[in-house]
Amino acid sequence: NEAGDLRTRSSAESRGSEQGKVLNRRRRKDERASVREERVGSGDAGSARRTDMAAVRCVCGGFLGDNEPAGDAKSAMQAVRSALGDIVHYPAADNDEALAALSKFMKFPREQLLVGNGASEFIDLVMRAGPPGKFKPGPFLAAYMEYNRAAVAADRPVLKANSEEDAAITVIIHPNSPTGDCMTLGEIEDVIKRTKGIVVLDESFIANYGPNWHEVSGLRLIQKYPEQLMVISSWTKLWACPGLRLGSIACGSAWYRKLKKLQTPWSCSTLAQAFCAAAARDTSYMEKTWAVIPEWKSRHEELIRTLGWTIHEGCPHWVPYIFVDCGSPEVAEKAATVAQKAGCPVRWCASFGCPQHLRLGVREPSKQDVLHKTWSTAF
């Protein structure tokens, strides 16, 4: 009631006086509180009143994202705080420090590497700058839909994944999202050899493989196929910073020059550059990531199997998410609904064309237990 009374006061009554300033501050505080208000009723995790993401993350962090279960890189977060004073200036146009660190981390020449405003910038750029013609997604049951969106926006016809027709741009998510399937470099090379167009690998999760991730990365093939192969990476996944927007594209020299010419200037912010430079050097963060994912993922898969659901076997142990077949669309939808209400949201894969499946990000055991208790009660 007090908040309502404050909102009905005219600005003329409160403006200009100390009392008015106080009232305005209280009104803004009340309005922010009303937006954030969330309640999980009387200790019962199944009675959440709100469903917006800011609220449900307060319970256990949620399982929607496929970001790193190890959380954010503390050194990179500190670098961002330290760089806040520099936002009064334009970002470094050459992205020098970020590129130097990222090039070393990727073991790839910096003169063939671009960084920008998330992977989405380069997804759009490739669809606009790539050879004219049709787009085809990789050969999986389902795949990340951002490439489809970008292809349609660029007026490209979209082929089905199982189409035998050649495409101007073929995209392979490596490893795939949401299924986790991962092709070998030999299989990827076969795709390159069969097409007259270009192949784009999205390797946003490949570094989760382990310290020797470069051995299974398509980066190794770019020098062999410089006119046909590009590798896009969303570093917001590996380093858990999607709100910051940080992505890259690695390619041959000719494609580098073309894409660099078309790229929006200053698209990688001062804070994103500082974060990138620090995160790429944070070996302890990567070591923790490589250690916890297989262990936590295996544990959660066993809990899920007790519900009678099936884990997709094509998803390797190092991929930071789990693709689950619940047996029917109805069960999957119910599972997503009760998880949401409990403050543990998961990804129902209906939007991928897989309505009986869920995708769960790998999370620490205590969070797994909250979700499992919710599902065990509901099913």
Side-chain angles (χ1 to χ4, degrees), residues 94-101 103 108-114 256:
D94 59 4
N95 306 296
D96 183 62
E97 187 178 358
L99 277 174
S103 171
F108 189 81
R110 63 182 294 174
E111 62 270 14
Q112 294 173 235
L113 186 63
L114 294 170
Y256 171 87

Side-chain angles (χ1 to χ4, degrees), residues 3-332:
D5 291 340
L6 289 171
R7 282 192 291 270
T8 58
R9 292 178 183 269
S10 69
S11 59
E13 290 177 328
S14 59
R15 189 182 301 118
S17 67
E18 188 61 34
Q19 181 183 14
K21 293 176 183 177
V22 171
L23 289 173
N24 279 330
R25 284 197 297 269
R26 291 175 65 186
R27 174 179 54 78
R28 288 193 295 270
K29 182 178 179 181
D30 286 333
E31 287 175 346
R32 288 195 299 269
S34 69
V35 170
R36 290 194 303 266
E37 183 188 358
E38 176 270 349
R39 195 172 173 184
V40 180
S42 305
D44 179 2
S47 59
R49 288 178 53 194
R50 296 201 54 212
T51 58
D52 70 63
M53 294 302 98
V56 294
R57 279 197 297 267
C58 294
V59 179
C60 76
F63 295 76
L64 273 173
D66 33 33
N67 297 325
E68 278 313 299
D72 53 45
K74 298 296 186 291
S75 63
M77 293 297 288
Q78 183 55 51
V80 169
R81 295 186 189 98
S82 298
L84 280 171
D86 295 329
I87 64 173
V88 296
H89 307 292
Y90 280 98
D94 59 4
N95 306 296
D96 183 62
E97 187 178 358
L99 277 174
L102 191 59
S103 171
K104 185 176 181 180
F105 176 74
M106 296 173 69
K107 297 182 180 181
F108 189 81
R110 63 182 294 174
E111 62 270 14
Q112 294 173 235
L113 186 63
L114 294 170
V115 292
N117 188 33
S120 295
E121 177 182 2
F122 297 113
I123 293 171
D124 272 336
L125 193 56
V126 167
M127 289 300 173
R128 289 186 285 112
K134 299 178 181 180
F135 154 74
K136 181 165 66 174
F140 303 112
L141 173 65
Y144 182 50
M145 298 296 291
E146 183 67 10
Y147 288 90
N148 293 59
R149 181 207 60 77
V152 171
D155 295 324
R156 291 184 181 274
V158 178
L159 299 174
K160 292 186 177 180
N162 59 0
S163 172
E164 294 296 324
E165 185 178 349
D166 195 15
I169 300 178
T170 299
V171 173
I172 299 171
I173 316 297
H174 181 237
N176 188 50
S177 178
T179 66
D181 293 286
C182 194
M183 299 172 70
T184 66
L185 290 186
E187 291 170 333
I188 291 170
E189 196 166 5
D190 287 342
V191 174
I192 298 172
K193 291 176 179 178
R194 288 197 304 267
T195 182
K196 294 181 180 179
I198 66 170
V199 174
V200 178
L201 290 185
D202 187 311
E203 292 198 333
S204 297
F205 301 102
I206 198 68
N208 288 286
Y209 181 86
N212 58 337
W213 66 271
H214 309 86
E215 297 178 8
V216 296
S217 169
L219 292 169
R220 301 183 64 184
L221 299 176
I222 289 179
Q223 305 309 330
K224 188 174 182 179
Y225 302 99
E227 301 298 323
Q228 280 192 281
L229 181 62
M230 305 177 189
V231 174
I232 290 177
S233 301
S234 171
W235 300 107
T236 62
K237 302 290 194 302
L238 182 66
W239 294 321
C241 60
L244 198 60
R245 312 307 302 141
L246 178 63
S248 69
I249 187 166
C251 52
S253 298
W255 277 113
Y256 171 87
R257 290 190 296 270
K258 183 172 184 177
L259 296 175
K260 178 65 174 176
K261 182 179 179 180
L262 296 173
Q263 186 182 20
T264 303
W266 300 298
S267 68
C268 191
S269 73
T270 297
L271 302 185
Q273 290 185 44
F275 186 99
C276 179
R281 299 186 183 109
D282 194 338
T283 55
S284 62
Y285 176 81
M286 292 307 305
E287 288 167 358
K288 179 182 179 182
T289 295
W290 294 325
V292 302
I293 288 177
E295 178 184 344
W296 291 355
K297 181 173 181 176
S298 177
R299 180 186 188 275
H300 203 178
E301 287 177 340
E302 289 305 311
L303 290 177
I304 293 168
R305 288 189 180 99
T306 66
L307 299 169
W309 300 344
T310 304
I311 305 296
H312 180 55
E313 297 299 332
C315 185
H317 68 281
W318 52 269
V319 174
Y321 44 90
I322 305 169
F323 192 55
V324 182
D325 186 344
C326 296
S328 74
E330 293 76 20
V331 171

